[in-house]
Amino acid sequence: MLEVPVRLGDVVIDVGPLRAAPEFRFVLAAQAISMLGTHLTVVAVNVQVYQLTGSSVQVGAVGLVFGVALLVGMLTGGVVADLADRRTIAVATRAAVVAVFVGLAVNAALPAPHLWVVYVAAVLAGGINGLGGPALMALVPALVGPERLAAAAALTALSIQFGAVIGPVLAGVIAAGPGLAVCFALDALCFVISAVLLCFLAPVPPPEAAGERRPIRSIAEGISFVRRDRVLSGILLIDTLAMVFAMPYALFPELATEHFGGGPQTVGLLYSAPAAGALLAAFVSGWAGRVRATGVVLTGVVVVWGVAIACVGLTASLWVALVALVFAGLADTTSEILRRALMQQRTPDRLQGRVGSLWLAQGTVAPSVGNMAAGVLSRVLPTAAVPVVGGLVCVVAVVALTLRRPDLRRASLSGPVGARPVDADPQAVE
């Protein structure tokens, strides 16, 4: 049998975009530092809400409010990103959201923090971040070129997971020591640094053929484009199923306390474990741009996600649960790399902002809905049973979707760059 040697470069993350596009480095650095701050706040908010209310439903509700605000902001931001300077939008929104985190820090420092302040902050932070997210995402294809999209997606995941690994553990330590107000203050500082880094980018004017300028019709144009492309719509649906049915993060404070017998440090470990797996997935992603059966691999890793989440509820051992969450994070980020690259490959520049806004909205709203559903189910079922049920339902739903979507199964990143079905051509969208 002929053995084909596997080169290290075929496995280790491809850093080609960093060499070919120096400005892409500023985007990655800005994402890494802002995600570090974001995860400080995510854990701090969840811990604070659980301390104030003792309810996982309230923890999930704050996430849902944030997700709804983010959805509105992203749909608006997708239109703006295709009509205005994308760098200016990204810088301005990052600078604006600093005030929200300062407000959270002041509230947390009060002798009796107000729950309503957290909800207001969730609305403002969601709306502002949503407005800027599509612009930042739409910058990448133009910076790195179509042939490096998979590598850029892996590097993006790596920059995001840098903060996702460190942030929750750091938040747990800070929450147990200096306090939650310090978490929020550090997040504000992170976003200041992120905005400064993005200032080093050259201006990025909108595409010449930006398309429909009326907001509602412009959003509809992006939605119609995705709907007509069975691969793009399948990419959004497969992750929606995984996140809605198998997203137990809102349960982590309760699981840490009631199921695993820990405190804030245990909460931090539960949030950090998936991020550690995600970091590993990004490091060994060199194969992602060359795999032919991209759609089949995508289905497989989402199934692994569902099984791993189910395992979290099946064990009483914290360390076994952490290992399962590492596998969950590895599967989720591998899925994200493949989905992001396919999406950007199949979308023309004139629609990158709007299609990117749908991607970002789905990627945030679906987990928010999933967290809310998990919190509600925890009032009906034993808390540990919720991830078991959700994980198994996720597996069944994802397999059923893939069987009904042959175009999704046949999708490949190793085919012609930018290949799209004829009926998904942007000029054909009504």
Side-chain angles (χ1 to χ4, degrees):
M1 180 181 295
L2 179 62
E3 294 185 1
V4 180
V6 177
R7 297 176 302 170
L8 185 61
D10 293 334
V11 177
V12 176
I13 190 169
D14 181 1
V15 296
L18 296 177
R19 294 192 296 266
E23 286 191 323
F24 183 55
R25 303 170 192 170
F26 291 113
V27 174
L28 286 182
Q31 287 178 322
I33 193 67
S34 63
M35 287 307 297
L36 172 62
T38 295
H39 283 278
L40 283 170
T41 291
V42 167
V43 175
V45 164
N46 287 350
V47 169
Q48 184 178 49
V49 171
Y50 189 70
Q51 287 177 346
L52 291 174
T53 67
S55 170
S56 291
V57 174
Q58 288 277 17
V59 175
V62 171
L64 182 61
V65 167
F66 175 83
V68 171
L70 193 67
L71 173 62
V72 175
M74 282 177 174
L75 292 178
T76 304
V79 174
V80 175
D82 286 337
L83 297 175
D85 187 301
R86 291 167 176 172
R87 183 201 66 168
T88 300
I89 299 166
V91 172
T93 51
R94 270 168 160 65
V97 82
V98 170
V100 179
F101 301 131
V102 170
L104 282 171
V106 172
N107 181 61
L110 296 174
H114 301 290
L115 182 62
W116 67 265
V117 172
V118 179
Y119 276 95
V120 170
V123 172
L124 294 176
I128 296 170
N129 280 326
L131 189 63
L136 187 63
M137 187 174 181
L139 288 171
V140 175
L143 290 177
V144 304
E147 70 281 0
R148 298 187 179 90
L149 287 175
L155 288 166
T156 298
L158 183 63
S159 71
I160 291 172
Q161 296 308 324
F162 163 78
V165 170
I166 299 174
V169 174
L170 185 59
V173 172
I174 294 173
L180 297 174
V182 176
C183 290
F184 298 129
L186 287 175
D187 191 8
L189 177 60
C190 287
F191 270 77
V192 169
I193 296 172
S194 179
V196 171
L197 287 170
L198 292 176
C199 287
F200 288 99
L201 297 177
V204 184
E208 292 183 4
E212 177 62 57
R213 289 181 175 271
R214 287 170 289 184
I216 301 300
R217 290 182 64 87
S218 184
I219 294 171
E221 186 179 11
I223 294 173
S224 181
F225 176 77
V226 171
R227 179 182 58 81
R228 294 166 67 91
D229 189 316
R230 299 281 287 177
V231 174
L232 286 179
S233 57
I235 287 169
L236 295 181
L237 281 173
I238 197 170
D239 191 57
T240 297
L241 293 174
M243 295 297 100
V244 169
F245 291 128
M247 175 48 68
Y249 288 12
L251 303 177
F252 284 177
E254 187 172 351
L255 284 171
T257 303
E258 305 297 334
H259 189 63
F260 296 117
Q265 293 92 336
T266 303
V267 177
L269 288 173
L270 290 174
Y271 281 109
S272 288
L279 201 62
L280 176 60
F283 272 123
V284 297
S285 62
W287 56 271
R290 291 182 292 273
V291 63
R292 289 189 177 276
T294 307
V296 175
V297 174
L298 174 59
T299 301
V301 295
V302 178
V303 167
V304 171
W305 159 268
V307 172
I309 293 300
C311 289
V312 172
L314 289 172
T315 181
S317 167
L318 173 62
W319 296 109
V320 173
L322 292 176
V323 171
L325 288 171
V326 168
F327 276 98
L330 190 151
D332 186 43
T333 294
T334 301
S335 165
E336 179 187 347
I337 291 169
L338 299 177
R339 287 182 290 108
R340 183 189 292 263
L342 282 170
M343 184 273 293
Q344 292 182 327
Q345 180 199 66
R346 301 178 71 88
T347 304
D349 188 55
R350 62 184 288 273
L351 286 168
Q352 283 287 347
R354 281 163 284 177
V355 174
S357 72
L358 295 175
W359 157 280
L360 291 170
Q362 177 275 326
T364 303
V365 174
S368 297
V369 173
N371 275 316
M372 184 66 188
V376 171
L377 280 176
S378 70
R379 303 285 77 97
V380 179
L381 301 174
T383 304
V386 175
V388 177
V389 173
L392 295 179
V393 172
C394 165
V395 170
V396 173
V398 165
V399 171
L401 171 68
T402 309
L403 291 176
R404 292 176 60 87
R405 293 274 179 137
D407 289 344
L408 181 59
R409 295 198 305 271
R410 292 193 295 264
S412 177
L413 287 169
S414 63
V417 174
R420 293 187 298 272
V422 174
D423 67 347
D425 187 275
Q427 301 303 325
V429 177
E430 300 178 354

